[in-house]
Amino acid sequence: MTVNVALFGYGLAGANFHAPLIACDPRLRLARVVTSRKDEVARDHPHAIVSTDANSVLSAEDIDLIVIATPNKTHASLAREALLAGKHVVVDKPFVPDANEGDTLIALAKERGRMLTVFHNRRWDADFLTVARLVREGRLGEVHHAELRWDRFRPGIREGWKELPEEGTGLLADLGPHLIDQELRLFGLPKMITGDVACQRAGALVDDYFEVTLHYGARRVILSASTLIAEPRPRFALHGGDGSFVKYGIDPQEDWMRAGKKPSDQGYGIEPVAAYGMLTAPDGASQSIPSERGDWPVFYGQVAAAILGGAPPPVDPADAVTGLNIIECARRSAREGRSLRFTSNG
């Protein structure tokens, strides 16, 4: 059996992430794309029908799955319309701007008997898979301090909706969901949250810096991103009773696909030796730790299995709602200038 897919949006996420990953799974067929970029779709996926009319695609009987890779403020409405039309749904991150909207969509998907999931592809990053393995195996002992950072140097304000003060924009909404999702899988729910969110670039209309500290009793986990750091800090730094693991650099899968290469090409997801992280023992002895292979195709493989065989979706949308509640708690903490107790409902 084949799942016919309609992709809404053919910008960065649609063209470079979703479309190539859909195309590499034989159980999925990219049948339609809703976009104004007809020439680009014709070049990349000549078999796909291009339309600018979302409603006609939502009502098409031959479409099984809707993938939403449109501006963040449209996620909730499009997902709702797709579920009401009887389609399975994948939503790019952030799931929706508001956690309550996420809960409503989860209830609707359950009522309609449709699969709903969120594209937290960074669960299958090479570096995160490596960190998760080290923590799972107890190589660091009890982790008492961890930092997950995503630094960039982009001093200029770019054109586009991401730099406008709309629902779901800003760096915390953009990169925060990935960092939070990874942190939750490593350590679970925090007890307290301290947020620091700012606009640092001249002319910035949305936040372009954040540092969120998650409190787990004595353990501290710091999530941070900035657009004004030319010499990036470690992407991961975890410190435990049995040692430290420090890893620089960003997973290679995004650059691979943005260069026009495919997930099926040889070498996909493999980090070079120079990018490996270092594990340091309490006595100071260090060793290079080979990175796990990055594997974003797992996401759509599990989407196909969920639709065709009733398997669980790759990402429980409730996980994404928890992440949204953490973001809102961090924003409120930053506004009020104090640490806040966190509960699962925000």
Side-chain angles (χ1 to χ4, degrees), residues 8 34 51-60 78 81 85:
F8 282 41
V34 177
S51 174
T52 57
D53 182 4
N55 290 329
S56 67
V57 176
L58 286 167
S59 62
L78 285 174
E81 291 171 12

Side-chain angles (χ1 to χ4, degrees), residues 270-346:
I270 298 176
E271 287 199 319
V273 173
Y276 291 174
M278 296 298 296
L279 179 65
T280 303
D283 64 4
S286 296
Q287 61 175 307
S288 176
I289 301 297
S291 296
E292 298 288 308
R293 183 170 187 165
D295 200 2
W296 290 0
V298 165
F299 179 87
Y300 274 105
Q302 293 185 8
V303 165
I307 294 172
L308 296 174
V315 175
D316 186 337
D319 293 349
V321 170
T322 298
L324 294 172
N325 280 322
I326 288 176
I327 287 174
E328 178 50 40
C329 186
R331 289 193 188 280
R332 186 157 60 92
S333 168
R335 289 195 301 269
E336 297 178 7
R338 63 190 181 98
S339 298
L340 298 175
R341 187 168 299 279
F342 179 76
T343 59
S344 59
N345 60 4

Side-chain angles (χ1 to χ4, degrees), residues 88-164:
H88 303 284
V89 179
V90 170
V91 185
D92 201 272
K93 63 79 200 168
F95 180 18
V96 287
D98 180 79
N100 291 329
E101 293 175 321
D103 287 332
T104 300
L105 290 174
I106 290 171
L108 180 59
K110 184 176 181 180
E111 174 190 318
R112 295 291 170 133
R114 300 291 91 180
M115 185 216 66
L116 172 66
T117 191
V118 183
F119 189 60
H120 282 306
N121 56 311
R122 297 288 175 176
R123 290 186 179 188
W124 296 276
D125 277 5
D127 46 18
F128 176 70
L129 292 172
T130 307
V131 167
R133 176 174 59 82
L134 292 174
V135 171
R136 185 173 61 250
E137 294 175 351
R139 299 284 298 277
L140 303 174
E142 182 70 20
V143 176
H144 52 77
H145 183 88
E147 300 178 22
L148 287 68
R149 301 186 183 274
W150 201 322
D151 294 328
R152 297 168 168 170
F153 188 66
R154 296 180 178 175
I157 306 298
R158 296 185 174 186
E159 292 186 4
W161 59 267
K162 287 189 176 184
E163 299 280 10
L164 299 176

Side-chain angles (χ1 to χ4, degrees), residues 35-313:
T35 182
S36 61
R37 301 178 176 182
K38 184 175 181 179
D39 292 342
E40 295 177 31
V41 177
R43 177 196 65 206
D44 301 336
H45 305 277
H47 60 278
I49 298 172
V50 180
S51 174
T52 57
D53 182 4
N55 290 329
S56 67
V57 176
L58 286 167
S59 62
E61 294 184 0
D62 64 327
I63 295 300
D64 307 299
L65 169 65
I66 300 290
V67 175
I68 299 170
T70 53
N72 298 345
K73 66 179 182 180
T74 67
H75 286 185
S77 59
L78 285 174
R80 180 178 182 276
E81 291 171 12
L83 290 169
L84 289 173
K87 313 301 185 185
H88 303 284
V89 179
V90 170
V91 185
D92 201 272
K93 63 79 200 168
F95 180 18
V96 287
D98 180 79
N100 291 329
E101 293 175 321
D103 287 332
T104 300
L105 290 174
I106 290 171
L108 180 59
K110 184 176 181 180
E111 174 190 318
R112 295 291 170 133
R114 300 291 91 180
M115 185 216 66
L116 172 66
T117 191
V118 183
F119 189 60
H120 282 306
N121 56 311
R122 297 288 175 176
R123 290 186 179 188
W124 296 276
D125 277 5
D127 46 18
F128 176 70
L129 292 172
T130 307
V131 167
R133 176 174 59 82
L134 292 174
V135 171
R136 185 173 61 250
E137 294 175 351
R139 299 284 298 277
L140 303 174
E142 182 70 20
V143 176
H144 52 77
H145 183 88
E147 300 178 22
L148 287 68
R149 301 186 183 274
W150 201 322
D151 294 328
R152 297 168 168 170
F153 188 66
R154 296 180 178 175
I157 306 298
R158 296 185 174 186
E159 292 186 4
W161 59 267
K162 287 189 176 184
E163 299 280 10
L164 299 176
E166 300 176 347
E167 286 186 312
T169 59
L171 195 61
L172 183 54
D174 184 31
L175 298 182
H178 285 316
L179 296 175
I180 291 168
D181 187 65
Q182 291 178 337
E183 174 274 330
L184 288 172
R185 294 185 70 76
L186 291 174
F187 304 113
L189 294 175
K191 296 180 179 179
M192 301 280 292
I193 293 178
T194 306
D196 181 17
V197 185
C199 300
Q200 294 187 327
R201 294 172 299 171
L205 300 176
V206 296
D207 56 270
D208 52 16
Y209 161 87
F210 67 83
E211 181 151 310
V212 178
T213 302
L214 307 175
H215 305 249
Y216 295 81
R219 176 190 293 147
R220 296 291 183 269
V221 179
I222 297 172
L223 311 179
S224 180
S226 173
T227 53
L228 290 175
I229 294 184
E231 180 62 34
R233 297 164 292 181
R235 174 69 176 84
F236 288 94
L238 288 84
H239 308 282
D242 292 340
S244 296
F245 180 73
V246 176
K247 172 78 170 63
Y248 287 84
I250 299 295
D251 174 272
Q253 294 173 88
E254 176 176 345
D255 286 345
W256 182 277
M257 289 196 285
R258 291 183 72 169
K261 294 184 282 188
K262 300 177 181 179
S264 57
D265 291 342
Q266 186 175 3
Y268 174 81
I270 298 176
E271 287 199 319
V273 173
Y276 291 174
M278 296 298 296
L279 179 65
T280 303
D283 64 4
S286 296
Q287 61 175 307
S288 176
I289 301 297
S291 296
E292 298 288 308
R293 183 170 187 165
D295 200 2
W296 290 0
V298 165
F299 179 87
Y300 274 105
Q302 293 185 8
V303 165
I307 294 172
L308 296 174

